[in-house]
Amino acid sequence: MTSEATDTGTVRVDSWIWSVRLTKTRSAAASACRAGHVRVNGERAKPAQTVTAGDEVRLRHAGRDRVVVVRRVIRKRVGAPVAAECYEDNSPPPPPRETTAPAGVRDRGTGRPTKRDRREMDRLRGLGAQPPSEPSAT
């Protein structure tokens, strides 16, 4: 094996998360660790905590939980096909697109939404107050 990949040994968790392309930058991986979004074997991980083959790493990233088991420890960032061989992905599937709330999209250059527009957006998101019910005729 090369010096970049070893089956035995340890490497920092922030470096490993970046190396297998779970985050875009190493500083983003370190920030996720400091914020408590990374767990190694169920325990909160600091950026300098080491991981070995067989460890379970949980990462909360981009509104989604990623659960991976370390297969191979690598120190340098590698291509996506090689990175996929370094872990076993046990993440839950992402929610279907139909269940996620649609985001309000406005045309570019239309300016700030009016009060009426904001009420309509809140109503669509389910945040607005319900319209008053009409009194019943008795």
Side-chain angles (χ1 to χ4, degrees), residues 4-133:
E4 298 143 4
T6 60
D7 288 330
T8 60
T10 61
V11 70
R12 289 173 56 118
V13 68
D14 62 343
S15 180
W16 186 82
I17 289 171
W18 167 75
S19 298
V20 296
R21 298 177 168 264
L22 294 177
T23 60
K24 288 187 178 186
T25 64
R26 182 168 171 195
S27 62
S31 296
C33 291
R34 283 192 295 274
H37 299 296
V38 177
R39 294 184 176 271
V40 176
N41 296 326
E43 300 290 323
R44 267 181 79 167
K46 293 183 179 178
Q49 182 172 338
T50 57
V51 293
T52 59
D55 285 347
E56 180 189 71
V57 178
R58 291 178 171 266
L59 170 68
R60 178 106 177 126
H61 181 65
R64 183 172 171 225
D65 284 329
R66 297 291 306 265
V67 181
V68 296
V69 176
V70 179
R71 279 194 196 163
R72 206 165 88 196
V73 176
I74 59 174
R75 288 175 171 56
K76 304 244 179 180
R77 191 166 173 98
V78 293
V82 177
E85 297 172 1
C86 295
Y87 62 87
E88 179 182 335
D89 196 353
N90 296 332
S91 303
R97 296 189 107 181
E98 295 82 35
T99 60
T100 58
V105 178
R106 293 182 49 84
D107 294 330
R108 187 178 175 111
T110 57
R112 184 171 180 216
T114 64
K115 179 101 174 170
R116 182 178 184 180
D117 292 338
R118 289 195 304 270
R119 284 186 188 135
E120 182 69 18
M121 287 188 282
D122 287 346
R123 188 185 62 76
L124 288 172
R125 290 184 192 129
L127 301 175
Q130 298 297 326
S133 59

Side-chain angles (χ1 to χ4, degrees), residues 134-138:
E134 295 187 24
S136 59
T138 53

